[in-house]
Amino acid sequence: MLRSQVRRDLKWLKRQARKDRRITVALLVGVVAFWTRQLPLDEAPGDILRGLSYGLVAASALTWLASALLAARTVRTPEEPVAGLRWVSRIQRSKEWAFWSAGAYVAWHVLQFVTALVLG
């Protein structure tokens, strides 16, 4: 009975990981689409705001790359149970990094909006 429960739980984890992978890919495509829509970057007035702006862009790019790398490593579904757990873990980490990338984009957008309100 224990073996069948473990097998069932592993199937559920893999099914959930496939959903998470679709969410991750959608987030990655969305972040790239939003960044390409925003480019060229408007120059923020002042050295501090410009530094924050470039830092957020760099953070979003780095987290996007980390997420894309982890998502690319999960193309094939492994057959072994232990490898399947590692596969699920990579997808979960990839999803987390994709949300961090989207969060950095949102923070950059809020910074641009507040800057425009205060200085504009």
Side-chain angles (χ1 to χ4, degrees), residues 21 28 65-78 83 86-91 93-94:
R21 189 172 49 187
L28 291 175
L65 286 173
S67 179
L69 176 68
L70 286 169
R73 292 175 69 187
T74 62
V75 173
R76 288 186 304 128
T77 306
R86 273 190 247 120
W87 181 77
V88 168
S89 173
R90 281 188 186 130
I91 290 175
R93 283 185 289 155
S94 176

Side-chain angles (χ1 to χ4, degrees), residues 27-88:
L27 270 172
L28 291 175
V29 169
V31 167
V32 167
F34 287 134
W35 274 120
T36 55
R37 184 175 176 268
Q38 294 294 328
L39 294 178
L41 297 172
D42 294 331
E43 286 295 320
D47 292 335
I48 295 173
L49 291 176
R50 189 175 304 120
L52 280 172
S53 181
Y54 288 147
L56 288 170
V57 170
S60 181
L62 288 175
T63 55
W64 187 92
L65 286 173
S67 179
L69 176 68
L70 286 169
R73 292 175 69 187
T74 62
V75 173
R76 288 186 304 128
T77 306
E79 299 298 323
E80 299 175 13
V82 174
L85 289 175
R86 273 190 247 120
W87 181 77
V88 168

Side-chain angles (χ1 to χ4, degrees), residues 8 12 15-16 18 33 36 40-41 44 46 50 52 64 77 79-82 86 92 96-97 100-101 110 113-114 118:
R8 185 184 61 210
W12 181 84
R15 193 169 38 246
Q16 185 65 35
R18 285 186 197 99
T36 55
L41 297 172
R50 189 175 304 120
L52 280 172
W64 187 92
T77 306
E79 299 298 323
E80 299 175 13
V82 174
R86 273 190 247 120
Q92 289 173 346
E96 289 173 12
W97 283 103
W100 278 105
S101 179
V110 168
F113 179 72
V114 169
V118 171

Side-chain angles (χ1 to χ4, degrees), residues 93-112:
R93 283 185 289 155
S94 176
K95 184 179 167 187
E96 289 173 12
W97 283 103
F99 273 108
W100 278 105
S101 179
Y105 169 76
V106 169
W108 176 83
H109 210 300
V110 168
L111 176 71
Q112 298 299 318

